[in-house]
Amino acid sequence: MKSRNLKLGLFCISLLLFWACEDVIDLDLNESEPQITIEAQLQGGSHTFNVLISKSTPFFEPGTEEKVNNAVVTLIDDQGNDTDIPLVRDGEYSEHITAFVGRQYTLRVEIDGEVYEATSNLLQPVGLVDIEAKFQSAGFIEEDDGYEVIFYYEDPVGMDNYYRARFYINDVPQFEGEFLQVLDDSFSDGETARSPILTEIFQEGQNVTVELMHFDKAAHDYFKALTDILGEGGGIGAGIAAPGNPPSNWSGNILGHFTAFSSDTISIDIQ
Amino acid sequence: MQTRLKSTIILVMMTLSLGTYAQKFTISGQITDAGSGEDLPFATVLVTDLEGVGTVSNTYGFYSLTLEKGEYTLIFRFSGFQSVTKKIVMDKDIKLNIELAEDSQELEAVVVTAEREDENLTRNEGSISKIDMAALKTVPAFGGEPDVIKIVHTTPGVKPAGEGNSGFYVRGGGLDQNLILLDEAPVYNPSHLLGFFSVFNGDALRSTELYKGGMPAEYGGRSSSVLDIRMKDGNSKKFGGSAGLGLIASRLTLEGPIVKDKSSFIISGRRTYADLILQLSSDEAINSNTLFFYDVNAKANYRFSDKDRVFISGYLGRDKLGFGDEFGFTWGNVTGTLRWNHLFSNRLFSNTTLLYSNYDYKATLSGGDEQIGLESVIEDISLKQDFSYFLDDKNDIKFGFNLISHKLEPGNIQAGPSSGFTSQEAIPANGMEGAVYIQNTHQVTPKLNLNYGLRYSFLQRLGRGTEFQFDNEGNVISSTEFDKGEEISYLDGWEPRLSANYTLNGTSSMKLGYNRSFQYIHLLSSATSSSPLDTWIMSSNNVKPQIADQISLGYFKNFKDNMFETSLEVYYKDMQNVIDYRTGANVFFNDEVEGDLVFGDGESYGAELSIKKNKGKFTGWLSYTLSRTVRQFDEINAGREFSARQDRTHDIAIVSQYKLNDRMTLSGNFTYYTGDAVTFPTGQYQLEQTSIPLYSDRNANRAPDFHRLDLGLTIQRPKKGRIESSWSFSLYNVYGRKNAFLINFHPSEHSPSVNEALKLSLFSIVPSVTYNIKF
C-alpha cells in the first residue's frame, strides 16, 4: 500500500548512491537477557492451531533458537470455553481447534510461574474475487522476465479493515521475509481493491495461491512494525522513524503476537 | 520678590536646557563598497572624540548617528576594507554616504568572524557567527563546488547532520529548528542531491550569518537558530561576472549596472551533469537514469531617490532523479522577495518585504500501464515590516511585525486508472503565523551594551479542515469539521530576549545571552536523517509549539594585535514539546499523523571553543565543542531519559589555509566527531521462520566516529586584462575513510543463519578540478 510505494522510493534513493560501498563490520552490541517470544495464529474454521514459544539469543550468534518446552498453554474464548494446547515438538504446542467468527479469543501461557495473556478478535473472512497474471519484462525493479500476480478482493464498506497477504507456490508456503505484505483500506474502502504480490516474479508452470488474512488493528500494527524492522534492519539512517520492538498484544514483556484471523484463498496457474 | 526670582531662574534654566536639547543633529547615509556599490551591512561608525559612542549600519548599509552640536572625527570601518576617517561639523543634519575600498591585503581574508572589534563598540546580537564569502574560493569543497553551508558546519556549536546531508544541528536542537533564509524568504529544503551540495550558490551571495543564541527579538520562528543568507545586489558600477567549470557541476554569474550607481542586477546559475556521465555507460541499467540539479538566483534593485530603494530577488532550483521510466523523483524550492526600503526621516528607516516560498516534491512510479504519482507541497506567502529607529547616540530601536500564511499539502496521490489506487487530494492545511517585536540596542555605559527585546508570536489554524481527537494510545476517538476560514486553533507565546556585551579591556569582552523561542511548524522525518521526503506539519490543539529557553555566557579575547581571535562560550538549553514518534508510526500521507506523535522534553548543554588566526601566511580556525543533549518522553524507553541522536560528545573542525606564494594557496579541512547515538539490536528472536532483531534501550549505542581530511590547492593565473582565472584542485577524504552513512542488520548473504552488520558508506577519495574565471 502506501508503505510499498514509499519503501520502494527509499529503496531507490539508497540504490542511487552508486558510489557507495558496503562493508561487513564488527560491532560491539550490548546483549540483553533472553526474552520470551510467543507466536500464535488462530485461523477461523477448523484448523490446526500452533503456538511457537522460544527465547531470544545473542544477535551475532548463528541462528540457534532457544525453545521453551515447559509452558502450559490454554486457549479461551469469550463464551467460557477453554482448551489445553499440548506440546508436540520442541517449542511447538499444537491442537486441532474450531474457531468461530465474531468471538474474542484469549491465549493464556504460563511459564515458570509467570502468566502471560493475549487477546484477539476473530473477524469474518473477506472474499478474494479475482486473480490474474501479467507479464513483465526485466526492468529496474525486477531483474528477470516473469509474471506479476495481481489479486482482487471486496473490501467491506464503512469499517476499517486490515489485511495481510501470503502466497504459496505449488502449495508450498513462501516466507516473504522483509516484504511481508500488510494492507489496509484507507485508499480503497468499500471498493474492489487490487494489489500485486509485492516484488515477486513468477514463472510459467507455477501454481500460485494467494491467501488474504483479515484481522484486527492490533495485528495490523504489529505486522506493519515488523515490515519496517525487516525492511531496514534498524541502525542509523534507517527508513523507520522509531526503531523499537513491534507492539505486542501480550501482557508482560513478551515478543511475538497472538493473531486471530480469517482468510480466503484463490489460485492461478501461470501459463 | 524671592518667588519671582526663583521662577525666573527656573524659566531661564529650562530655556537653556531646551536650547541644549534643540542642538542635536543627525548624520546619516549609506556605507557601500567602492568597487561594486554593494551595501556594507553592520559596518561600524565610531566617534573618536567620545568614548563608547558610535553606531553600526543596518542590513542595508544605512547608518544614522545623532550627536550634539560640535566638531567630531568619525571613523568608518568594515572588516577586509580600508577605514575612512572624516572630520565633520555638526551644526545641521548631514547626509554623508561613504564608500570603502577593499583592503589590498585581501588574500588574508578573515574567514569566519564572530564580529568582535577591539574597540568599545561591538556588534551586540547574541552568539553570532559571520561567514566571509571570500573564503569560499580557497576552502576545499566537495566536487569542486564551494558551499557556504559546509563552512557553517565548521562553526563551533554546529554539527553537520552527516555525510550527504546539508542539514545541521545547532546546540543540540533538531534539524527543523533552524530557520534558513535567503533574502528573508524561508528555504525549506537546503539540500541538492541528498545534501551533497546545498542550494546556495556562493557566487551570488554577499553575506551569511548564523545566530545561535541570545537572538535579537526581530528573529523568530524556529527555536535553535537563524541562518540569514543575503544575495549580492549586483555591481552597480561596472558589468562583470564569474564562472566555474568543474567535473561535477558548472556555474555562471553575471552582474552589472542597469543604471550606473542607481540600479543593478545579478543573475547566477548552476547545473550538475552527473547524468551526462551516466549516459556514457553502455549498461542500460545505468545509462537510462537521470540525475541532475540546477539552480538560478536572480536579483535586481533600483534606487529611486535618497529615500527609496526597491529590490526584487528570486531563487529557483530543481533536483531530478530517475531510473529509466519506472521511477522518478523530483523536488525543488522557489523563493521570491519584493522589498522596499524607505527613509521616513534621517533616523527612521523602514523595510517592507513581500515574500514567497514554495517547496515541493513529487515521486512517480510506473510499471506497464500503471502510474502512481505522490506529491507534497508547502507554500508560504508573507509580509514583513521592520523599522529601525536610531533614537540617539546610545539607543537604536527596532520594531515591526511579520505575517506568514502557510499552506501545507502533505500528500496528493494521482493514480492511473489501472493502478488499483484511488486518487486522493489531501485537504491543504492553512495557518497564519505572525509576530510583533520591539527591541533596543542600548549602550548603557561605554563598556556595557545591552540588546533587549520582546517578541509576541502566534499561529492561527484555519479551516477548511478536520481536527481529530485522540486517546492516550493515539487512536482517533472523535473528529470535528471546520469550514473555510473558521478558526481551528490559536496558539501563542511571549519571547523575551536579552544579549549583554561587556568590554573588559581593549582586547577582551564578555557576553551573556538569554532567549526564549517558540516554533509552530515542525519537520517529520521518515528516516533518522533528513531526506527530500520529509513532511512539515503545523502546531495545533494536538501538537503544541516547541519552546526553547537558552542561556549562554562567553568570553572573547584577541591576542597579538588581533592576529588571534579566541572565544569560549558555554550554553544551556531547555526544550519543551519536542516531537518524536510512536513505534511503527506512519508519517507519510497520513491524515491522522498527529496520533502517531509523542511529545517530551529535551535538554542540552556544552562548551564551545574557537581559535582563529587571521593574519600571516598561515590562517584559519579551530572549533571544538564538548556537549551533551538528551530527550525524555513518557512513551519512549519506558520514560527514561535517552541521548538524542545528535548527542556527539566531541566535535572538532579545523580549517586552514597556507599561502605558498602570491599565486598558490594550499588549504586543508579536518573534521572529527563522535558517532551518533543510535539504537542497535541487543539480540535476535525467530518469527515467521525469520530472524528478527531485538531492541531494548533507545540510542544506547554509538555509530563509529566520523572523521575526514580534505586538501585543496588554488593556483591563481596571471591576470590577462580584465580576466582573472584560477585552477582549484581538491581531494575530498584524503585517507579514504569510509564513514558510516547507514548501518543495516541483515542475515548474511552466504550464511543466512548468521546475522551481520553492514555499513554503507558514500565516498572514498573524491578528487576534483575546477577552472574559475572572473571578469
Side-chain angles (χ1 to χ4, degrees):
Chain A
M1 272 293 337
K2 301 177 268 195
S3 37
R4 168 215 181 191
N5 298 316
L6 283 323
K7 193 80 79 69
L8 278 177
L10 289 167
F11 179 67
C12 292
I13 288 172
S14 37
L15 268 197
L16 157 73
L17 311 168
F18 40 80
W19 278 304
C21 336
E22 229 177 34
D23 295 298
V24 177
I25 55 172
D26 285 324
L27 280 180
D28 232 334
L29 301 178
N30 320 327
E31 300 284 0
S32 61
E33 289 293 308
Q35 274 189 264
I36 300 172
T37 307
I38 309 176
E39 183 189 359
Q41 289 176 1
L42 178 67
Q43 186 170 4
S46 278
H47 300 276
T48 309
F49 173 51
N50 296 312
V51 179
L52 303 170
I53 308 183
S54 61
K55 285 193 174 170
S56 68
T57 51
F59 188 75
F60 287 120
E61 256 160 64
T64 46
E65 282 178 68
E66 198 193 308
K67 311 236 199 249
V68 173
N69 294 328
N70 63 337
V72 177
V73 183
T74 322
L75 180 67
I76 308 159
D77 71 11
D78 58 3
Q79 314 266 320
N81 303 311
D82 44 351
T83 317
D84 291 325
I85 317 286
L87 180 73
V88 296
R89 266 179 294 276
D90 246 353
E92 210 175 312
Y93 301 74
S94 184
E95 186 57 83
H96 195 89
I97 299 280
T98 304
F100 299 94
V101 168
R103 291 198 192 170
Q104 188 184 74
Y105 287 87
T106 303
L107 188 61
R108 183 183 181 284
V109 176
E110 187 179 331
I111 303 174
D112 296 329
E114 294 281 337
V115 175
Y116 310 103
E117 284 189 355
T119 303
S120 185
N121 297 303
L122 188 61
L123 303 176
Q124 81 283 17
V126 168
L128 282 162
V129 294
D130 199 2
I131 186 167
E132 62 176 0
K134 262 185 161 174
F135 185 75
Q136 296 267 8
S137 39
F140 168 68
I141 295 173
E142 301 306 334
E143 287 169 2
D144 301 309
D145 287 354
Y147 290 84
E148 185 184 49
V149 168
I150 300 156
F151 56 93
Y152 298 82
Y153 56 97
E154 291 284 352
D155 179 83
V157 69
M159 59 182 278
D160 288 333
N161 298 100
Y162 303 97
Y163 309 95
R164 178 176 156 198
R166 296 200 280 208
F167 62 96
Y168 305 75
I169 297 179
N170 300 335
D171 294 327
V172 175
Q174 303 297 308
F175 292 98
E176 318 91 303
E178 60 199 65
F179 293 107
L180 216 71
Q181 194 161 354
V182 180
L183 307 161
D184 62 55
D185 64 351
S186 10
F187 296 124
S188 49
D189 190 26
E191 296 177 4
T192 306
R194 172 193 186 279
S195 182
I197 296 180
L198 273 193
T199 67
E200 192 72 32
I201 283 293
F202 301 93
Q203 303 303 328
E204 278 187 31
Q206 289 180 321
N207 171 277
V208 180
T209 306
V210 173
E211 179 188 1
L212 186 70
M213 296 165 75
H214 182 222
F215 42 55
D216 60 18
K217 183 173 193 295
H220 163 270
D221 292 344
Y222 170 78
F223 286 113
K224 180 148 178 315
L226 205 56
T227 62
D228 287 340
I229 294 174
L230 289 171
E232 307 299 333
I236 62 171
I240 41 174
N245 299 320
S248 123
N249 61 349
W250 288 103
S251 62
N253 201 10
I254 300 287
L255 301 162
H257 201 263
F258 168 51
T259 312
F261 71 98
S262 290
S263 65
D264 190 21
T265 57
I266 194 167
S267 296
I268 186 170
D269 285 309
I270 313 268
Q271 50 220 336
Chain B
M1 227 354 81
Q2 275 201 320
T3 340
R4 265 196 82 181
L5 185 58
K6 234 193 235 173
S7 327
T8 321
I9 293 171
I10 292 168
L11 207 61
V12 166
M13 295 206 69
M14 277 174 67
T15 320
L16 279 176
S17 56
L18 271 177
T20 317
Y21 274 125
Q23 292 194 12
K24 275 203 174 185
F25 302 102
T26 303
I27 178 168
S28 62
Q30 205 61 33
I31 304 180
T32 55
D33 177 334
S36 65
E38 294 273 353
D39 299 328
L40 294 178
F42 312 115
T44 46
V45 185
L46 290 170
V47 183
T48 54
D49 330 73
L50 301 172
E51 208 202 350
V53 174
T55 190
V56 165
S57 65
N58 70 8
T59 320
Y60 306 99
F62 174 77
Y63 78 94
S64 167
L65 193 55
T66 303
L67 300 167
E68 287 186 14
K69 179 172 177 170
E71 286 183 21
Y72 302 95
T73 307
L74 298 184
I75 300 184
F76 296 84
R77 267 204 160 106
F78 189 77
S79 175
F81 286 73
Q82 294 171 26
S83 312
V84 159
T85 310
K86 292 271 180 199
K87 277 193 177 350
I88 54 163
V89 176
M90 293 295 290
D91 56 358
K92 60 182 181 305
D93 285 346
I94 299 176
K95 183 82 202 206
L96 180 62
N97 291 333
I98 297 286
E99 287 188 334
L100 297 180
E102 262 185 271
D103 214 328
S104 56
Q105 302 273 38
E106 66 173 325
L107 286 177
E108 286 174 28
V110 170
V111 182
V112 171
T113 320
E115 193 67 283
R116 198 214 146 271
E117 302 282 348
D118 59 348
E119 286 87 9
N120 301 346
L121 198 73
T122 60
R123 184 161 158 220
N124 188 5
E125 285 188 314
S127 310
I128 175 174
S129 293
K130 177 179 164 226
I131 286 112
D132 189 319
M133 310 312 281
L136 289 177
K137 291 191 184 63
T138 52
V139 169
F142 173 71
E145 258 308 295
D147 191 347
V148 70
I149 297 278
K150 297 266 186 326
I151 298 186
V152 169
H153 288 172
T154 62
T155 310
V158 177
K159 298 183 204 293
E163 204 151 51
N165 197 322
S166 281
F168 50 93
Y169 309 104
V170 177
R171 293 184 171 172
L175 283 174
D176 63 344
Q177 291 181 356
N178 309 309
L179 180 62
I180 299 175
L181 299 172
L182 178 64
D183 266 8
E184 299 178 275
V187 175
Y188 280 94
N189 183 354
S191 306
H192 275 311
L193 276 201
L194 304 178
F196 305 156
F197 305 101
S198 76
V199 303
F200 303 110
N201 180 348
D203 286 350
L205 305 180
R206 177 178 70 207
S207 67
T208 301
E209 305 195 318
L210 178 73
Y211 297 83
K212 44 184 186 168
M215 266 183 271
E218 58 184 303
Y219 291 104
R222 303 284 189 274
S223 47
S224 274
S225 76
V226 175
L227 184 64
D228 190 353
I229 302 178
R230 302 272 171 170
M231 282 180 63
K232 283 189 194 154
D233 291 331
N235 193 323
S236 61
K237 295 184 184 286
K238 63 182 196 296
F239 182 79
S242 59
L245 278 159
L247 288 180
I248 301 184
S250 286
R251 54 189 196 281
L252 173 66
T253 303
L254 297 169
E255 58 178 313
I258 299 174
V259 175
K260 192 159 187 287
D261 286 321
K262 251 172 117 77
S263 171
S264 63
F265 77 95
I266 178 165
I267 182 159
S268 192
R270 208 165 48 152
R271 194 201 195 274
T272 44
Y273 22 75
D275 55 340
L276 299 178
I277 295 171
L278 290 177
Q279 275 168 32
L280 293 176
S281 167
S282 50
D283 182 346
E284 223 204 277
I286 295 180
N287 68 17
S288 59
N289 298 333
T290 330
L291 173 66
F292 72 83
F293 76 76
Y294 67 82
D295 55 44
V296 180
N297 283 286
K299 188 168 180 179
N301 75 90
Y302 195 92
R303 197 188 291 278
F304 288 94
S305 66
D306 266 352
K307 288 193 189 316
D308 290 285
R309 197 161 166 207
V310 171
F311 303 78
I312 181 163
S313 60
Y315 165 86
L316 167 67
R318 200 92 216 142
D319 285 68
K320 206 157 154 36
L321 302 178
F323 291 100
D325 292 325
E326 292 176 356
F327 178 68
F329 192 43
T330 171
W331 73 91
N333 294 291
V334 174
T335 70
T337 307
L338 179 62
R339 178 188 305 129
W340 174 42
N341 282 355
H342 179 68
L343 274 180
F344 281 97
S345 75
N346 54 18
R347 293 202 276 171
L348 181 61
F349 176 94
S350 149
N351 177 50
T352 312
T353 315
L354 201 57
L355 297 161
Y356 177 79
S357 173
N358 179 307
Y359 172 69
D360 79 284
Y361 66 78
K362 187 165 177 169
T364 39
L365 282 171
S366 2
D369 24 89
E370 295 172 27
Q371 273 244 20
I372 301 171
L374 308 167
E375 193 180 22
S376 178
V377 182
I378 176 169
E379 189 178 78
D380 284 356
I381 299 178
S382 76
L383 172 66
K384 216 169 158 263
Q385 173 60 48
D386 301 296
F387 290 101
S388 302
Y389 185 54
F390 297 84
L391 177 65
D392 59 26
D393 60 352
K394 293 198 175 11
N395 291 283
D396 287 343
I397 300 180
K398 285 192 186 175
F399 59 100
F401 69 87
N402 75 339
L403 281 174
I404 311 172
S405 161
H406 292 297
K407 188 164 97 154
L408 274 65
E409 288 179 43
N412 294 330
I413 298 182
Q414 289 126 33
S418 50
S419 64
F421 295 115
T422 28
S423 289
Q424 150 171 322
E425 276 203 27
I427 300 172
N430 291 303
M432 183 67 82
E433 185 181 341
V436 167
Y437 70 91
I438 181 161
Q439 75 184 53
N440 183 21
T441 308
H442 185 178
Q443 190 74 40
V444 178
T445 71
K447 282 185 185 291
L448 177 65
N449 183 300
L450 291 182
N451 182 331
Y452 46 85
L454 185 63
R455 185 180 175 89
Y456 170 76
S457 61
F458 67 89
L459 174 75
Q460 185 189 42
R461 293 288 300 270
L462 299 163
R464 211 162 52 96
T466 310
E467 185 187 78
F468 296 98
Q469 288 88 38
F470 302 93
D471 65 14
N472 286 340
E473 267 82 60
N475 300 312
V476 179
I477 46 182
S478 59
S479 68
T480 320
E481 298 288 329
F482 293 88
D483 288 326
K484 184 163 179 198
E486 233 190 300
E487 182 182 288
I488 302 176
S489 62
Y490 185 85
L491 303 156
D492 62 353
W494 290 93
E495 306 179 29
R497 308 286 178 86
L498 171 68
S499 173
N501 202 315
Y502 185 75
T503 311
L504 293 165
N505 56 42
T507 56
S508 60
S509 66
M510 291 200 66
K511 221 180 245 191
L512 171 73
Y514 167 71
N515 66 285
R516 163 167 268 229
S517 303
F518 278 68
Q519 179 167 341
Y520 302 95
I521 182 165
H522 320 281
L523 181 64
L524 302 180
S525 295
S526 65
T528 35
S529 59
S530 75
S531 84
L533 295 177
D534 297 337
T535 308
W536 290 85
I537 60 162
M538 287 187 278
S539 280
S540 67
N541 288 326
N542 294 314
V543 181
K544 297 209 209 84
Q546 291 186 63
I547 306 175
D549 285 295
Q550 191 191 154
I551 185 160
S552 60
L553 181 64
Y555 174 69
F556 299 76
K557 187 162 172 68
N558 284 3
F559 294 92
K560 280 200 162 196
D561 189 30
N562 295 339
M563 184 188 269
F564 290 94
E565 279 182 26
T566 66
S567 69
L568 177 66
E569 247 187 289
V570 296
Y571 66 88
Y572 173 80
K573 188 191 289 192
D574 179 84
M575 294 170 264
Q576 294 173 57
N577 304 327
V578 181
I579 300 176
D580 207 302
Y581 314 94
R582 294 184 196 278
T583 308
N586 178 11
V587 303
F588 288 119
F589 305 114
N590 179 3
D591 286 338
E592 299 160 16
V593 67
E594 289 178 343
D596 281 347
L597 304 177
V598 295
F599 306 96
D601 295 320
E603 208 178 52
S604 65
Y605 44 90
E608 297 166 6
L609 172 70
S610 163
I611 300 173
K612 284 179 212 129
K613 182 170 189 287
N614 300 327
K615 300 180 190 170
K617 280 194 163 193
F618 181 79
T619 57
W621 73 94
L622 164 82
S623 302
Y624 171 67
T625 308
L626 177 68
S627 65
R628 176 117 175 92
T629 176
V630 296
R631 302 283 184 269
Q632 189 273 328
F633 293 81
D634 290 341
E635 299 89 341
I636 296 178
N637 213 35
R640 294 185 307 260
E641 192 179 85
F642 60 92
S643 301
R645 175 194 169 86
Q646 62 265 38
D647 176 38
R648 297 175 190 159
T649 319
H650 304 284
D651 189 335
I652 300 172
I654 301 175
V655 179
S656 60
Q657 285 142 297
Y658 184 72
K659 220 168 46 130
L660 289 168
N661 55 43
D662 272 343
R663 297 198 311 128
M664 301 214 291
T665 308
L666 197 57
S667 57
N669 283 355
F670 177 70
T671 310
Y672 174 95
Y673 54 82
T674 314
D676 287 354
V678 288
T679 310
F680 284 161
T682 54
Q684 59 173 313
Y685 57 103
Q686 299 289 325
L687 281 179
E688 304 276 335
Q689 307 203 352
T690 314
S691 158
I692 315 282
L694 169 69
Y695 296 105
S696 93
D697 294 339
R698 178 75 164 248
N699 289 355
N701 295 93
R702 288 279 162 183
D705 290 351
F706 181 104
H707 50 93
R708 194 191 78 231
L709 172 69
D710 308 320
L711 292 176
L713 175 66
T714 309
I715 302 178
Q716 202 80 29
R717 298 186 68 231
K719 199 164 167 175
K720 279 186 186 147
R722 271 193 68 178
I723 303 179
E724 286 175 45
S725 61
S726 64
W727 285 97
S728 301
F729 300 93
S730 76
L731 202 58
Y732 178 90
N733 199 3
V734 169
Y735 52 86
R737 173 165 169 87
K738 293 186 184 165
N739 286 305
F741 176 73
L742 289 183
I743 296 181
N744 282 330
F745 297 91
H746 282 309
S748 161
E749 276 192 20
H750 23 258
S751 20
S753 59
V754 184
N755 285 322
E756 46 184 30
L758 278 168
K759 174 184 76 169
L760 198 72
S761 50
L762 288 186
F763 304 112
S764 188
I765 307 176
V766 182
S768 81
V769 182
T770 314
Y771 178 68
N772 302 295
I773 58 170
K774 192 165 173 248
F775 52 92

